[in-house]
């Protein structure tokens, strides 16, 4: 019987890789870097850069104006607003930025079903979640801390008291760090629930703004009816008022609550525990979400 000659082996030039295996740490760092760059449109199309860069500019312009006013006014010894007040004053801009970039960070991977491809590499589910969470929090921290840095540099150029300005700047950084972690966790879990970017945008805006509006309204009613003791506890039911109550209690901020009364230290501790609990809960919810999405 003649041998079968229909099967042939071709050498098409593949060679085994003999270089270093960079492993999970490199993959995690690369995913963090690409996600952070993507949050500002870097490495993406020109159209993708417009909104994040515009919102970044809108965040910084008022800080420049505040510095200019403080320097121009004769006899001025301080900035018109506190460092801890700036982020809450521009909360709408922060919310719009988060709503536009959190779905971009995670919804596309779900929509195009690329998450299993990530997990087929040395990267694991926890690496993916940590990289995305850290990138979104870093992007928000850059957005919220840059105006504070502008104000701080401007105050030093205006020769305001160095100690007071440094203390206020440090308090502002602590505030926006917590805000960045809290908002990023809530924004990413809302965006990860659906592969549809539009639904993610709407959900994030709703989670940030609707509770704040409701809490503010109920706080006003309670204050005007004499139930002032309830006001400080109502702030626990909104992400924005959580940051407001914490920084008023511990960072010397002026509270936006009715009457501008800062919560006492005991209530402030509860605010901090709720903030940390929501951050940890957001991380756990993302891990649970990607346990299913990674299949």
């Amino acid at each position: 019987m003649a041998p079968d000659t229909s099967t042939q082996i071709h050498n098409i030039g593949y060679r085994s890789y003999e270089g270093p295996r960079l492993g999970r740490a490199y993959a995690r760092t690369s995913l963090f870097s690409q996600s952070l760059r993507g949050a500002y449109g870097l490495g993406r199309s020109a159209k993708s850069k417009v909104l994040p860069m515009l919102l970044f500019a809108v965040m910084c312009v008022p800080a420049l104006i505040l510095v200019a006013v403080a320097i121009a006014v004769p006899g001025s010894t301080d900035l018109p607003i506190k460092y801890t007040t700036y982020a809450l004053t521009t909360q709408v801009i922060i919310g719009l930025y988060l709503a536009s970039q959190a779905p971009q960070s995670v919804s596309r991977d779900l929509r195009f079903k690329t998450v299993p491809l990530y997990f087929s590499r040395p990267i694991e589910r926890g690496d993916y979640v940590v990289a995305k969470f850290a990138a979104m929090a870093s992007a928000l921290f850059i957005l919220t801390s840059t105006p504070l840095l502008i104000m701080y540099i401007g105050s030093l150029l205006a020769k305001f008291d160095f100690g007071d300005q440094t203390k206020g700047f440090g308090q502002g950084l602590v505030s926006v760090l917590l805000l960045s972690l809290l908002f990023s966790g809530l924004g990413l879990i809302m965006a990860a629930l659906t592969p549809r970017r539009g639904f993610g945008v709407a959900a994030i805006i709703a989670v940030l703004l609707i509770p704040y509006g409701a809490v503010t309204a109920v706080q006003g009613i309670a204050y005007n009816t004499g139930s002032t003791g309830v006001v400080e506890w109502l702030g626990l039911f909104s992400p924005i008022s959580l940051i407001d109550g914490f920084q008023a209690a511990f960072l010397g901020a002026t509270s936006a609550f009715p009457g501008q009364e800062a919560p006492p230290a005991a209530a402030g501790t509860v605010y901090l525990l709720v903030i940390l609990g929501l951050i940890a809960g957001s991380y756990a919810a993302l891990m649970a979400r990607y346990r299913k999405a990674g299949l």
Side-chain angles (χ1 to χ4, degrees):
M1 183 176 179
D4 183 8
T5 59
S6 60
T7 301
Q8 300 180 17
I9 298 177
H10 297 273
N11 180 2
I12 57 177
Y14 287 141
R15 291 184 297 178
S16 61
Y17 177 72
E18 299 177 354
R21 301 288 179 177
L22 300 177
R24 286 174 54 194
Y26 181 81
R28 184 170 56 243
T29 303
S30 297
L31 182 58
F32 165 79
S33 174
Q34 291 300 319
S35 299
L36 178 56
R37 284 166 51 84
Y40 285 95
L42 303 177
R44 300 168 59 199
S45 64
K47 181 180 178 181
S48 300
K49 296 179 176 66
V50 173
L51 183 58
M53 291 301 181
L54 178 62
L55 292 174
F56 181 79
V58 172
M59 278 290 292
C60 293
V61 167
L64 291 170
I65 294 174
L66 290 173
V67 168
V69 169
I71 294 175
V73 174
S76 178
T77 59
D78 203 354
L79 294 168
I81 67 172
K82 293 183 177 181
Y83 293 93
T84 49
T85 304
Y86 194 89
L88 296 185
T89 304
T90 56
Q91 60 183 271
V92 174
I93 303 170
I94 298 171
L96 289 176
Y97 177 85
L98 180 64
S100 65
Q101 298 309 311
Q104 181 275 137
S105 181
V106 296
S107 295
R108 292 192 306 169
D109 291 343
L110 295 170
R111 184 166 67 252
F112 297 118
K113 303 185 185 303
T114 58
V115 175
L117 297 179
Y118 282 111
F119 297 164
S120 68
R121 298 296 181 182
I123 195 171
E124 295 183 359
R125 176 167 50 98
D127 299 321
Y128 182 89
V129 172
V130 167
K132 291 293 184 178
F133 201 137
M136 194 71 255
S138 298
L140 270 184
F141 185 71
I142 292 171
L143 181 76
T144 53
S145 64
T146 302
L148 303 187
L149 180 60
I150 293 173
M151 292 168 61
Y152 180 62
I153 293 174
S155 68
L156 296 183
L157 292 176
K159 302 186 184 306
F160 295 160
D161 185 79
F162 177 79
D164 289 344
Q165 296 304 317
T166 301
K167 179 182 178 181
F169 179 57
Q171 291 171 335
L173 289 181
V174 172
S175 175
V176 297
L177 176 61
L178 273 180
L179 181 148
S180 300
L181 289 170
L182 176 61
F183 282 25
S184 296
L186 297 175
L188 286 175
I189 192 59
M190 290 295 104
L193 291 177
T194 173
R196 297 181 179 273
R197 182 173 181 176
F199 290 165
V201 171
I204 293 170
I205 293 176
V207 165
L208 292 182
L209 298 185
I210 292 178
Y212 179 69
V215 165
T216 301
V218 177
Q219 281 179 325
I221 294 171
Y223 183 79
N224 291 329
T225 56
S227 303
T228 55
V230 181
V231 170
E232 64 192 38
W233 299 110
L234 288 171
L236 295 171
F237 297 96
S238 160
I240 297 171
S241 57
L242 275 171
I243 300 297
D244 187 4
F246 165 76
Q247 66 180 21
F250 294 119
L251 301 179
T254 301
S255 175
F257 293 172
Q260 295 185 336
E261 295 183 4
T269 302
V270 175
Y271 273 74
L272 177 59
L273 292 176
V274 172
I275 291 171
L276 296 178
L278 285 174
I279 294 171
S282 299
Y283 174 78
L286 284 169
M287 290 290 286
R289 174 71 179 98
Y290 283 100
R291 182 179 294 113
K292 178 180 179 181
L295 296 176

